[in-house]
Amino acid sequence: MSKYLKSIDQLRTSFAAGSLLLSCFSISCSTPKQVAYDHELQRLKTVSKQTLAANVDEFNAYKGRPESDGPFNASNNKAFLEENIPLFLSSDEGMTKVYNYRWWMVSKHLKEYDDPIDKRKYWVVTEFFGVKPWASLSGAITCPAGHQFYDVRWLRDPKFLNSYAEYFMKGSASKLDQRENGNFLTYLSRPESHHFSSWMIDGVEAHLKIHPNANWTKDLLPYMEKHQHGWDSLFTVHNAGAKTAGMYKILDLYDGMEFSLSAVLGLIESKGAYDIYTPESWKEYYLGWETTGKAAESKQAKDFPKAFRKGYPDYYLVRPSVNSYAYANTQSLANLYNLDTEKNSNPTIQQKIKLYESKAKSIQENLLNVLWNEEDQFFNTYSAGDNEFGVGDYEAHVRESVGYTPWYFNMIPFEDHQKYENAWAMFSSEKGFYNAKGMTTAERQHPYYNEQAYAWNGRGWPFQNSIVYKAYANYLRNYKKEIKDSERELLFDYIQKLANMHGSDQLNIGEWYIPSDGQTFGGEQDYFHSTFPDIVIEDLLGFKASHENKFTLEPLLPEDKWDHFYLGNLRYHGHDVDVIWKKDWDTNKPGDQSMLCVWVNNKLVSTSPKLNAKLEINLPK
């Protein structure tokens, strides 16, 4: 663990006024209360299973939906989900149903792949159904892999994510170059595992906090190192004299964000090959896929053929997103080597820990020193300092939602985190990212803001919701001395809007939505490009996993939103965990009966009368 995360934990503990840090053996309930709590646990387990079964029957009856990519379908998905997912039930029936729908959707994307290259069978997780031209040969795509890791890690059986990680880290996807075709809009050859940006190594670490496996980790670590070395060699700025030297770069498309305003501003500033982009004309050439064909026919594209690929500009950006991913992956390498029981006697392991901690610190310092803009009070995007065409080291003065990514990985140093916290003022501002139906991807006050185009110029994307909501939850829990009710309300408001967007008749998750007035998602159906179970479990209800034999629970749910919730059947470090919060445990008795209860292996181990308390639960040895 980095020193920054350690300091966060230490200081948050000392600052948490009124928070409760309770061990397994500090229960103060009387025996009759324990009996009542245990009885309610059994009741809610039964009801949650019944609700899940009824929901799955409904989902399986939906017409016109894509067929499953793998073996889990209407004939067997109910049994699979009942056995494998953390059960969830709340007084908010809509939220409960969306949670169950998202697990049903996940089951459709678990695919068995017989690899003709490796001669091995893998479990992979798909994004689109079928094998798209921009996918790996298995059909899996790296772009959403970080999100997929964070959701799938909660399955009780770790084999699915273990196998998926092996496929990308040491399987054929780590060796085969991404096939070039009409969708390969770049000139940079790279492995399938690096076709889009991702934070898969961090995702592996997040998985191992749920399902620790020392031998598997030790075997995979050298391959994870090689994976990160690929990012270091292929996607860093190699102009030593550039302001962005050594930082990580990516094309809009391969950061999962086809067209962004930060790219627009850099292209407008550029000359020569990119003269076609002006304040008056850029929408004709860089605003949705219908515009790149026109760019391909331009004189500039013909005069500078290497500056475009099928009309898409070969223009790299140094973004807060990809630099945060690199930090997270590198820090995870240090953290995972630090788990090795031989670290104190093995100099090589000690060197690895120091190497990756130092590398992570360097990435962090570059992001803070270069991408933070004091006047804008935000992390901005630069153009890469080694772009062959177009302006280099140009700072795009537009606030985009990717500027919140550093908080997703607790990348902000605690000792001076106040310097950066004003960025969150835009999260609740209608001039910033707040809109009637959900979060925007660019600040609304920018003159180029546009939520109607298939772009990241304002339109809402669940991919970004998943990043920013965890980033905000981390900011509240890990950086603030005291969390305000209004801040919990804001997080819940955003999550509720995301849930509502799934609809009420036939639920769906798609690619995008219109933040101002959208009622449903657009694009694909049952699309695995974002998280939701993880948003509920970790971000809203606050189940925080650890490499240590413990976990913490610190809900951010506002007390006035639900009457109760149950989270259970959760497999953690080989133990079974259940959590219940209720306002009213006995309807025949007046007064406030609020109680948050935690069971491990069906034994009540911790209680708190405060929903938003911080409970620290030590697991039995």
Side-chain angles (χ1 to χ4, degrees), residues 20-33:
L20 301 176
L21 301 177
L22 302 177
S23 74
C24 294
F25 307 104
S26 61
I27 302 300
S28 59
C29 305
S30 64
T31 299
K33 284 187 177 180

Side-chain angles (χ1 to χ4, degrees), residues 8-78:
I8 287 171
D9 284 342
Q10 293 164 355
L11 289 168
R12 282 281 291 130
T13 298
S14 63
F15 280 135
S19 76
L20 301 176
L21 301 177
L22 302 177
S23 74
C24 294
F25 307 104
S26 61
I27 302 300
S28 59
C29 305
S30 64
T31 299
K33 284 187 177 180
Q34 288 190 37
V35 171
Y37 295 155
D38 288 343
H39 181 270
E40 184 66 358
L41 171 63
Q42 297 308 315
R43 187 186 75 83
L44 288 179
K45 277 187 176 183
T46 300
V47 175
S48 63
K49 289 178 182 177
Q50 292 171 341
T51 303
L52 173 64
N55 288 162
V56 172
D57 286 340
E58 178 183 334
F59 305 150
N60 284 335
Y62 287 170
K63 303 297 183 183
R65 291 301 177 90
E67 295 294 326
S68 295
D69 257 341
F72 301 115
N73 51 47
S75 70
N76 60 4
N77 55 17
K78 186 190 300 184

Side-chain angles (χ1 to χ4, degrees), residues 153-174:
R153 66 181 174 143
W154 296 106
L155 290 176
R156 289 177 63 87
D157 191 337
K159 73 179 181 183
F160 301 101
L161 199 48
N162 285 356
S163 184
Y164 190 33
E166 290 170 9
Y167 172 70
F168 271 130
M169 294 297 165
K170 68 176 185 178
S172 66
S174 70

Side-chain angles (χ1 to χ4, degrees), residues 50-151:
Q50 292 171 341
T51 303
L52 173 64
N55 288 162
V56 172
D57 286 340
E58 178 183 334
F59 305 150
N60 284 335
Y62 287 170
K63 303 297 183 183
R65 291 301 177 90
E67 295 294 326
S68 295
D69 257 341
F72 301 115
N73 51 47
S75 70
N76 60 4
N77 55 17
K78 186 190 300 184
F80 169 77
L81 292 169
E82 287 176 341
E83 292 170 5
N84 275 282
I85 72 168
L87 298 170
F88 171 69
L89 187 73
S90 77
S91 53
D92 185 335
E93 294 181 3
M95 188 75 73
T96 302
K97 189 174 180 180
V98 170
Y99 176 90
N100 288 336
Y101 161 76
R102 291 297 292 258
W103 277 119
W104 175 81
M105 179 275 293
V106 169
S107 74
K108 295 177 67 176
H109 286 281
L110 296 175
K111 177 180 180 180
E112 288 182 298
Y113 177 59
D114 289 310
D115 195 316
I117 308 300
D118 281 0
K119 309 301 181 186
R120 279 191 55 188
K121 179 174 285 188
Y122 291 99
W123 282 100
V124 300
V125 185
T126 59
E127 173 188 5
F128 297 85
F129 292 98
V131 181
K132 299 295 185 183
W134 55 91
S136 64
L137 293 180
S138 72
I141 301 173
T142 57
C143 184
H147 287 322
Q148 292 170 341
F149 277 41
Y150 269 77
D151 263 3

Side-chain angles (χ1 to χ4, degrees), residues 7 43 52 85 89 95 104 126 180 251 294 301 313 363 396 401 481 492 526 553 613:
S7 65
R43 187 186 75 83
L52 173 64
I85 72 168
L89 187 73
M95 188 75 73
W104 175 81
T126 59
E180 296 193 30
L251 297 179
K294 183 175 181 180
I363 297 170
S401 56
K481 296 178 183 179
F492 185 83
D526 303 334
L553 187 71

Side-chain angles (χ1 to χ4, degrees), residues 368-427:
L368 298 176
N369 294 334
V370 177
L371 300 190
W372 177 255
N373 183 285
E374 189 67 25
E375 182 178 351
D376 294 346
Q377 290 286 287
F378 215 76
F379 288 103
N380 290 338
T381 292
Y382 274 70
S383 59
D386 61 355
N387 275 323
E388 182 178 357
F389 303 96
V391 64
D393 282 349
Y394 174 77
E395 181 179 9
H397 287 277
V398 55
R399 297 177 184 89
E400 297 172 306
S401 56
V402 293
Y404 290 124
T405 314
W407 281 274
Y408 183 103
F409 303 107
N410 295 296
M411 194 175 179
I412 307 300
F414 189 86
E415 52 266 32
D416 61 347
H417 76 94
Q418 294 92 343
K419 175 180 178 181
Y420 309 98
E421 66 181 0
N422 283 344
W424 288 106
M426 300 305 289
F427 189 51

